[in-house]
């Protein structure tokens, strides 16, 4: 095993921690606050931000949509350049934070920002940014990844750059009270699949990473089972911290990663506008069935250590347990439940996957186009 691990995001966790941004953002900075559809004006977050920035120079950019589009974000890039903002503050879920990372990088690049998503420009510098998280799910608040959509061409792509790692993140679980239940359930699924992408591989030697991944998976299973407590502070705190830890780098250090579920899922969002987590709940069980031989040993380990299973056909029953967990939250596990059929897969999704040049995917780089098609057809 070999890795370098550094997570530079300072985390302020708990109620009333938004006030910390006064000290986190240099007083000389000119701050652009970026947010989405306006829920922050209903749950008191916007008021707390304006209060905390009362001595800073600042402006705002609203309207970053779920699955943020480069078309919207380029308007923020232009605003940054025209008005000389030099610090960005993302206030929202993964979409706003990812979008802000793109703005931070594109504002420091002379060419067309989409080059970053196509790998034509490697991001080495970006404006500094901080994040106030309003939806626990993606871990974007303390990682260096960003996923952006180009609406015009139905493309959803990602980039990774240490330069866009947030300087700080505020995780106040009380802001979750205005979250629609669909988003809360999506958050559990998304965090669960993030852990699986880093844990369910052929590697079974990393005791720290595996042990911590199993704790996170058991937490998420328990939070799903105790969903009736989702309005309690303890439930919210545990989900927010678990979802953060699921993708903050530690469990993925030095171990093989998969991410094929995400790669295929992004295509389903780009084509059919499904929520990110909805695509993951459909793809993961199908992918695990298709690739069961290479993941057999880890699936058995997960069955024992996460679901408390034993006996025959352990790997298969583990996949069934994952599927049942998603279903218990009311998150669908079949494409046909979204009225997507075999013909849609063959004529729309498979050609799009072929076009976007991200193949082969997976921990062993064996998820090629034929394998993607087999996974998607299993998922119908
Ligand atoms: N950067 C990463 O590491 C990473 C990882 C996984 C997924 N992603 C990406 O993140 C995006 C999904 O992000 P997400 O799941 O956090 O959802 P989101 O940010 O898209 O938000 C979903 C909806 O919830 C609303 N919302 C957010 N907080 C709210 C609150 N407190 N009250 C009421 N409504 C609220 C938003 O306005 C939006 O309508 C996708 O584009 C996905 O591909 C990024």
């Amino acid at each position: 095993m070999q890795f370098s691990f550094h997570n530079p995001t300072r985390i302020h966790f708990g109620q009333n921690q938004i006030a910390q941004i006064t000290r986190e953002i240099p007083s000389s900075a000119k701050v652009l606050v970026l947010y989405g559809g306006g829920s922050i004006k209903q749950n008191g977050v916007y008021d707390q931000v304006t209060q905390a920035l009362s001595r800073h120079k600042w402006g705002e950019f609203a309207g970053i949509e779920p699955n943020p589009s480069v078309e919207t974000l380029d308007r923020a890039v232009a605003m940054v350049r025209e008005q000389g903002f030099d610090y960005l503050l993302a206030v929202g879920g993964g979409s706003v934070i990812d979008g802000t990372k793109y703005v931070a990088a594109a504002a420091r690049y002379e060419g067309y920002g989409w080059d970053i998503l196509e790998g034509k420009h490697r991001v080495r510098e970006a404006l500094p940014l901080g994040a106030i998280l309003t939806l626990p799910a993606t871990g974007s608040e303390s990682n260096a990844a960003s996923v952006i959509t180009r609406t015009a061409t139905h493309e959803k792509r990602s980039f990774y750059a240490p330069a866009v790692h947030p300087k700080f993140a505020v995780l106040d679980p009380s802001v979750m009270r205005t979250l629609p239940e669909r988003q809360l359930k999506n958050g559990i699924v998304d965090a669960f699949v993030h852990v699986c992408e880093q844990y369910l591989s052929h590697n079974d030697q990393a005791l720290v990473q595996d042990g911590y991944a199993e704790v996170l998976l058991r937490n998420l299973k328990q939070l799903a089972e105790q969903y009736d407590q989702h309005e309690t502070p303890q439930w919210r705190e545990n989900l927010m911290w678990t979802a953060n830890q699921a993708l903050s780098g530690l469990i993925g250090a030095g171990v093989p990663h998969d991410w094929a579920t995400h790669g295929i899922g992004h295509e389903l969002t780009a084509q059919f506008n499904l929520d990110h987590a909805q695509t993951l709940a459909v793809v993961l069980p199908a992918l695990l069935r298709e690739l069961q031989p290479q993941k057999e040993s880890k699936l058995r380990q997960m069955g024992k250590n996460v679901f408390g299973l034993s006996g025959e056909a352990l790997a298969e029953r583990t996949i069934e347990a994952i599927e049942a967990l998603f279903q218990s939250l009311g998150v669908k596990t079949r494409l046909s439940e979204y009225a997507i059929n075999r013909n849609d897969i063959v004529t729309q999704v498979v050609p799009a996957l072929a076009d976007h040049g991200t193949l082969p995917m997976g921990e062993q780089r064996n998820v090629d186009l034929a394998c993607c098609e087999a996974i998607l057809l299993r998922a119908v």
Side-chain angles (χ1 to χ4, degrees):
M1 191 174 5
Q2 189 181 48
F3 62 86
S4 305
F5 175 67
H6 174 59
N7 188 319
T9 303
R10 182 179 294 112
I11 291 185
H12 299 286
F13 192 97
Q15 201 158 0
N16 301 323
Q17 289 282 57
I18 292 173
Q20 296 279 358
I21 66 177
T22 308
R23 281 185 291 283
E24 282 288 0
I25 302 177
S27 54
S28 58
K30 185 170 177 187
V31 188
L32 183 63
V33 177
L34 300 99
Y35 58 95
S39 62
I40 62 166
K41 292 194 171 160
Q42 281 139 36
N43 57 19
V45 172
Y46 183 84
D47 292 342
Q48 290 178 65
V49 170
T50 54
Q51 175 71 29
L53 289 180
S54 59
R55 296 211 184 120
H56 287 78
K57 281 195 204 120
W58 66 279
E60 59 190 286
F61 182 87
I64 298 181
E65 62 277 76
N67 306 304
S69 74
V70 69
E71 289 89 346
T72 298
L73 297 169
D74 279 338
R75 289 193 282 111
V77 174
M79 192 174 165
V80 166
R81 288 193 179 132
E82 280 157 20
Q83 299 181 32
F85 291 103
D86 55 14
Y87 203 109
L88 305 183
L89 179 65
V91 187
S95 293
V96 170
I97 302 172
D98 282 8
T100 301
K101 290 173 177 174
Y102 169 85
V103 174
R108 284 282 173 90
Y109 171 55
E110 296 290 313
Y112 179 42
W114 189 252
D115 290 350
I116 298 168
L117 283 303
E118 289 194 328
K120 292 180 188 162
H121 169 65
R122 187 147 168 231
V123 175
R124 292 184 198 282
E125 52 175 325
L127 293 176
L129 67 132
I132 296 176
L133 182 67
T134 63
L135 193 173
T138 64
S140 182
E141 66 278 9
S142 64
N143 71 34
S146 167
V147 192
I148 306 297
T149 294
R150 192 186 198 182
T151 311
T153 50
H154 293 281
E155 288 172 272
K156 186 173 186 187
R157 295 196 175 194
S158 59
F159 76 97
Y160 178 93
V164 299
H165 217 126
K167 304 287 175 215
F168 67 88
V170 178
L171 278 65
D172 175 349
S174 69
V175 307
M176 290 160 65
R177 67 182 175 277
T178 48
L179 262 182
E181 288 200 41
R182 170 172 140 205
Q183 300 303 343
L184 208 49
K185 293 173 175 179
N186 278 349
I188 298 173
V189 171
D190 194 18
F192 194 92
V193 180
H194 289 159
V195 182
C196 290
E197 297 274 33
Q198 300 162 87
Y199 167 81
L200 275 179
S201 68
H202 59 284
N203 184 293
D204 54 6
Q205 306 296 321
L207 297 182
V208 170
Q209 291 86 331
D210 278 7
Y212 195 26
E214 286 165 3
V215 167
L216 299 176
L217 291 170
R218 283 199 299 272
N219 287 358
L220 292 163
K221 174 176 168 285
Q222 185 177 331
L223 291 165
E225 286 164 358
Q226 297 175 345
Y227 186 76
D228 60 337
Q229 296 172 31
H230 71 268
E231 290 182 340
T232 64
Q234 293 79 3
W235 193 96
R236 287 179 178 147
E237 285 167 2
N238 282 312
L239 177 59
M240 202 170 231
W241 190 222
T242 303
N244 173 274
Q245 293 293 287
L247 199 49
S248 71
L250 180 58
I251 63 166
V255 299
H257 291 207
D258 196 301
W259 299 111
T261 298
H262 272 70
I264 299 171
H266 288 171
E267 212 54 74
L268 292 171
T269 297
Q271 297 299 322
F272 306 111
N273 206 23
L274 298 189
D275 292 349
H276 176 61
Q278 291 175 336
T279 71
L280 304 178
V282 164
V283 176
L284 183 69
L287 177 139
L288 294 176
R289 290 193 171 104
E290 186 67 22
L291 300 176
Q292 191 180 322
Q294 81 187 47
K295 292 180 184 288
E296 179 83 19
S297 149
K298 213 49 178 295
L299 279 166
R300 284 203 214 124
Q301 182 180 328
M302 183 174 177
K304 280 188 209 142
N305 296 347
V306 177
F307 290 103
L309 300 173
S310 60
E312 296 294 303
L314 198 47
E316 274 163 58
R317 285 190 293 121
T318 303
I319 300 171
E320 284 163 16
I322 294 170
E323 211 167 29
L325 181 75
F326 298 157
Q327 288 165 354
S328 74
L329 290 165
V331 183
K332 301 175 170 89
T333 54
R334 292 273 160 190
L335 286 171
S336 49
E337 294 176 87
Y338 295 106
I340 297 168
N341 61 34
R342 293 175 72 87
N343 189 47
D344 298 325
I345 299 304
V346 175
T347 61
Q348 206 172 330
V349 188
V350 173
L353 275 162
D355 270 358
H356 292 168
T358 47
L359 300 173
M361 299 184 280
E363 51 156 326
Q364 300 192 28
R365 289 285 183 242
N366 59 351
V367 182
D368 57 13
L369 196 58
C371 185
C372 288
E373 182 168 351
I375 291 166
L376 285 161
L377 291 176
R378 270 183 192 271
V380 171

